[in-house]
Amino acid sequence: MYNLVTNLVDEIYHGKTGNFLGYATFELPQTEEEKILNLVNYGETPKCLILLNLDVIKTAKDYVPPELIKKYSRAGILRALFRDADSGVLMPIEICLKYDARGRGQETGDIYHFDSVEYSNIEIGEIRYNTNSN
């Protein structure tokens, strides 16, 4: 059983073409962290996830930032460290998923930053434990 998620990064791909778009770093509110923990611990796929302060980094050269409010089909590899509740050891885990992404705000005016993003219509592909990825 895991009781903490940290160091989250989503490697993002276009949902229809499979083209690499970039990486997303973000904050995960406690309610959303519980959803990720329930996925890994119990296999419960969340209906949606709300990510805060999402930054798109290391983008592909042809990356075009999405318009606000519009949904975009995406695929991703969500990488994170999960803390084992008994030992306290941090375990790297990768979650392969498909989802619709919708930016919900850009107060800073930075086209690569979103105050919040909603992932919905989530489909889980594979969960890989003990990965060597960073």
Side-chain angles (χ1 to χ4, degrees):
M1 297 287 288
Y2 300 100
N3 64 0
L4 176 78
V5 182
T6 187
N7 294 14
L8 293 130
V9 175
D10 188 11
E11 184 175 322
I12 307 168
Y13 296 86
H14 190 283
K16 292 183 174 47
T17 67
N19 292 340
F20 172 76
L21 298 175
Y23 295 92
T25 61
F26 52 89
E27 298 171 17
L28 197 60
Q30 186 173 1
T31 55
E32 306 308 292
E33 180 183 20
E34 285 297 320
K35 293 176 185 179
I36 297 289
L37 288 169
N38 286 340
L39 169 63
V40 173
N41 288 326
Y42 306 112
E44 297 175 7
T45 301
K47 293 184 189 303
C48 72
L49 289 169
I50 304 298
L51 314 176
L52 301 179
N53 294 316
L54 185 138
D55 289 301
V56 182
I57 60 172
K58 299 181 183 175
T59 58
K61 289 182 182 183
D62 60 348
Y63 173 74
V64 177
E67 298 173 32
L68 285 178
I69 306 303
K70 186 176 176 185
K71 286 187 178 183
Y72 292 85
S73 176
R74 298 290 185 245
I77 302 171
L78 182 63
R79 293 185 174 98
L81 295 176
F82 287 73
R83 183 176 64 195
D84 181 88
D86 295 326
S87 69
V89 172
L90 292 174
M91 176 82 60
I93 296 177
E94 294 179 344
I95 302 167
C96 300
L97 65 163
K98 293 182 180 181
Y99 54 90
D100 291 333
R102 179 174 66 165
R104 300 174 76 190
Q106 286 178 309
E107 289 180 18
T108 63
D110 180 349
I111 60 174
Y112 295 100
H113 174 83
F114 295 89
D115 300 315
S116 69
V117 172
E118 175 187 89
Y119 285 8
S120 60
N121 299 318
I122 299 169
E123 296 177 25
I124 303 301
E126 179 183 8
I127 299 176
R128 298 187 284 237
Y129 300 85
N130 295 319
T131 65
N132 293 323
S133 299
N134 292 331

